[in-house]
Amino acid sequence: MPRRAHAASFRDPSGFIFHREGTLYRQVNRSFADDWAKLTSTGFYEGLARKGSVVSFEEVGIELALTDEAIAVIRPERVDFISYPYEWSFSQLKDAALLTLDIAVEAIKAGFSLKDATAFNIQFHKGKPIFIDTLSFETYVEGEPWIAYKQFCQHFLAPLALMSYVDIRLLGLFRTHLDGIPLDLTSHLLPGMTKLKPGLLSHIHLHAKAQGKEGSSGQSERTVRIPRTSLLALLDNLRSTVQGLSWEPAGTEWADYYTFTNYTDEAMQQKRSLVGNLLDEIKRDCKTACDLGANNGAFSSLCAERGLFTLAWDIDPAAVEKAYRSCQKAGQEKILPLVVDLSNPTPATGWNLEERSSFFERAEVDVALALAVIHHLAISNNTPLPLIADLFSRLGRYVIVEWV
């Protein structure tokens, strides 16, 4: 693998992404030549891109390639921020799952198969989920099963079921299981009554049991032949199962913060006005922002209103869920709510601790809002003030701090 390829882009022999002079490119390798020719000549991918389901791209000169394996080099549309599925709210993961299934169905109908159904291939761009791996499509072969079925169940269905039926915090298992939450573990953790749900019985419990048998017999899932109509029925059943999972954001520590806050209405309005005035002073010098302890995004919106792409972080999954739902309802494209614990943020992980970057490696912004958050760090987390100041200085060129 070339030394300048992106550290997360080494698993697919079809190609890889890399940076050259600050611009992101994707190299397409010779082994993907036949599929690439079909993908770029049928109009299928372009149709998905027009709908905003997948990233668009522009083909550039082959001289930009990093190795002689290249048959093409493309410049993909740049997404706002790379987030990971264990930083998402319930509805973000659910929307990502549904988009993946919709793309898989459209691929089959167009003569392709989606060979990768990892949640890491989804990002949130302009307020909506978007699929970013252009090389995840291969020519469909009649009778072939969906090779990404297990991956989809582990990356999407398993965590959604655990959050829906057990505890919203179980999404954190994804941080230690980068290939998705194992189905045998999921089956063990889910309550017995979920076996009465046909979709969960089939795709989680029986699937986990079948995996155990395959492991002992050495048989592969790909040995099973499945006609196209049955494959589409499988995808439709997965969609119904995902649609049937739900979680209501309530009962967590900060879910109703702005409902029961100790601010008077007048004090809250003064705070909004003050923060807005400070943002007005610097907005010409800023493009990005982060809101630390954003709760439901009430102050993140002040940044978005001024044209700043804003990361709205909060430790509380219910608050982030509410923020995401609010953004979806309003069509807000400038705010990305994420579940992040500022005292224990997402670490670097994966191969050589480079495959998945730490949150702070990804989250450098122009201005950070630290509103009513210092006392949580200094008192609740017992963090010395100099360390808090050092952290804030790393996050943004400007920091707006509320001292409580």
Side-chain angles (χ1 to χ4, degrees), residues 92-356:
Q92 284 174 305
L93 185 62
K94 183 174 180 178
D95 287 349
L98 294 174
L99 175 64
T100 301
L101 290 172
D102 289 344
I103 291 174
V105 168
E106 293 196 46
I108 291 294
K109 292 179 178 179
F112 294 94
S113 180
L114 185 65
K115 64 180 181 179
D116 293 310
T118 166
F120 293 101
N121 278 347
I122 301 290
Q123 292 300 321
F124 285 84
H125 183 53
K126 298 180 180 179
K128 300 187 299 182
I130 190 169
F131 191 87
I132 63 169
D133 190 357
T134 307
L135 306 187
S136 280
F137 300 92
E138 62 183 3
T139 301
Y140 171 69
V141 178
E142 183 67 41
E144 285 282 330
W146 188 29
I147 189 176
Y149 172 52
K150 171 187 170 184
Q151 190 177 51
F152 178 87
C153 291
Q154 292 188 162
H155 278 242
F156 292 108
L157 190 56
L160 286 170
L162 290 171
M163 287 191 286
S164 180
Y165 283 99
V166 185
D167 194 300
I168 192 67
R169 293 169 294 183
L170 287 179
L171 182 60
L173 290 172
F174 217 144
R175 273 175 59 161
T176 53
H177 296 281
L178 292 183
D179 198 26
I181 302 175
L183 298 185
D184 61 339
L185 176 60
T186 303
S187 179
H188 177 73
L189 293 174
L190 285 174
M193 55 86 63
T194 58
K195 294 180 180 179
L196 301 177
K197 303 289 184 180
L200 295 179
L201 173 64
S202 173
H203 304 304
I204 297 292
H205 297 293
L206 295 181
H207 193 171
K209 190 174 181 180
Q211 276 187 299
K213 291 181 178 179
E214 287 167 4
S216 60
S217 66
Q219 293 180 347
S220 167
E221 290 180 324
R222 279 203 117 168
T223 60
V224 180
R225 306 295 293 177
I226 178 170
R228 185 188 303 246
T229 53
S230 298
L231 186 55
L232 290 172
L234 171 70
L235 293 169
D236 183 64
N237 188 264
L238 281 169
R239 197 179 207 287
S240 298
T241 303
V242 170
Q243 284 279 35
L245 297 172
S246 63
W247 178 73
E248 287 306 314
T252 55
E253 185 176 6
W254 304 106
D256 299 310
Y257 175 74
Y258 284 112
T259 302
F260 303 107
T261 179
N262 56 0
Y263 286 97
T264 65
D265 290 344
E266 181 181 6
M268 180 60 73
Q269 185 54 46
Q270 288 178 342
K271 178 177 174 179
R272 288 182 62 86
S273 178
L274 179 58
V275 173
N277 290 339
L278 291 170
L279 287 170
D280 285 337
E281 291 184 25
I282 61 174
K283 66 180 182 181
R284 290 186 179 180
D285 194 30
C286 299
K287 293 182 179 179
T288 57
C290 64
D291 187 358
L292 315 180
N295 199 264
N296 63 9
F299 284 86
S300 305
S301 62
L302 295 180
C303 299
E305 288 167 5
R306 289 157 176 80
L308 306 182
F309 171 70
T310 305
L311 301 172
W313 315 349
D314 203 276
I315 190 176
D316 192 304
V320 175
E321 175 73 11
K322 287 185 174 182
Y324 178 70
R325 292 186 185 186
S326 177
C327 288
Q328 292 298 294
K329 185 176 181 180
Q332 175 58 260
E333 297 184 356
K334 290 288 188 178
I335 297 176
L336 176 58
L338 294 172
V339 180
V340 177
D341 180 353
L342 193 58
S343 66
N344 182 27
T346 309
T349 189
W351 181 257
N352 203 29
L353 294 182
E354 293 180 332
E355 188 176 0
R356 308 295 173 199

